[in-house]
Amino acid sequence: QVQLVESGGGLVQTGGSLRLSCAVSGFTINNYRMSWFRQAPGKEREFVAGVSWSNSNTYYKYSVKGRFTVSRDNAKNLVGLQMNSPKPEDTAVYYCAALSGYDPIKSMSAYRYWGRGTQVTVSS
């Protein structure tokens, strides 16, 4: 059974830090690019950060670049998102997702597997 389980969400103050983790079971992430998306209340889900198969390339939404770092551990089937200096506008439910094939990494509809999300709330 395929599962992507996000953890690490919670309440954090502006300027603090938070680390999200995504534990994957039911398939090995080696053959997938992995990404984080988020959805704020009343807004559409959006791409936040993604990482290529071997950690060699990372991709970020412009507004989080320099503050967030995406990573993966293929041996442990884990994906992480380090969030430094979060801002109130980063408040959202964060989702981990797996992309097979060669579609653009920001193409949400191309993702095969999704987690159920973890809430991140940033207070000012």
Side-chain angles (χ1 to χ4, degrees):
Q1 183 181 359
V2 170
Q3 282 191 311
L4 290 77
V5 180
E6 301 93 340
S7 62
L11 178 64
V12 61
Q13 289 188 328
T14 301
S17 64
L18 203 63
R19 181 171 178 82
L20 306 184
S21 292
C22 173
V24 178
S25 59
F27 68 97
T28 56
I29 66 172
N30 300 52
N31 298 323
Y32 292 79
R33 286 174 288 168
M34 301 298 297
S35 293
W36 291 90
F37 288 78
R38 68 186 182 189
Q39 187 166 19
K43 295 188 177 181
E44 294 187 351
R45 194 171 297 189
E46 62 179 5
F47 174 85
V48 176
V51 58
S52 63
W53 297 270
S54 60
N55 260 332
S56 56
N57 291 299
T58 54
Y59 309 85
Y60 296 95
K61 176 180 172 61
Y62 181 79
S63 64
V64 309
K65 199 168 186 178
R67 299 188 295 119
F68 291 7
T69 303
V70 60
S71 62
R72 63 191 293 159
D73 186 333
N74 288 346
K76 295 182 179 179
N77 241 27
L78 290 173
V79 185
L81 183 69
Q82 179 67 40
M83 303 172 62
N84 294 333
S85 300
K87 302 175 181 180
E89 52 263 43
D90 295 321
T91 294
V93 176
Y94 283 72
Y95 298 90
C96 176
L99 174 64
S100 63
Y102 297 92
D103 290 282
I105 199 166
K106 297 182 181 180
S107 178
M108 189 170 61
S109 62
Y111 280 75
R112 184 171 185 182
Y113 300 123
W114 289 85
R116 301 184 72 172
T118 185
Q119 175 70 47
V120 172
T121 302
V122 185
S123 64
S124 56

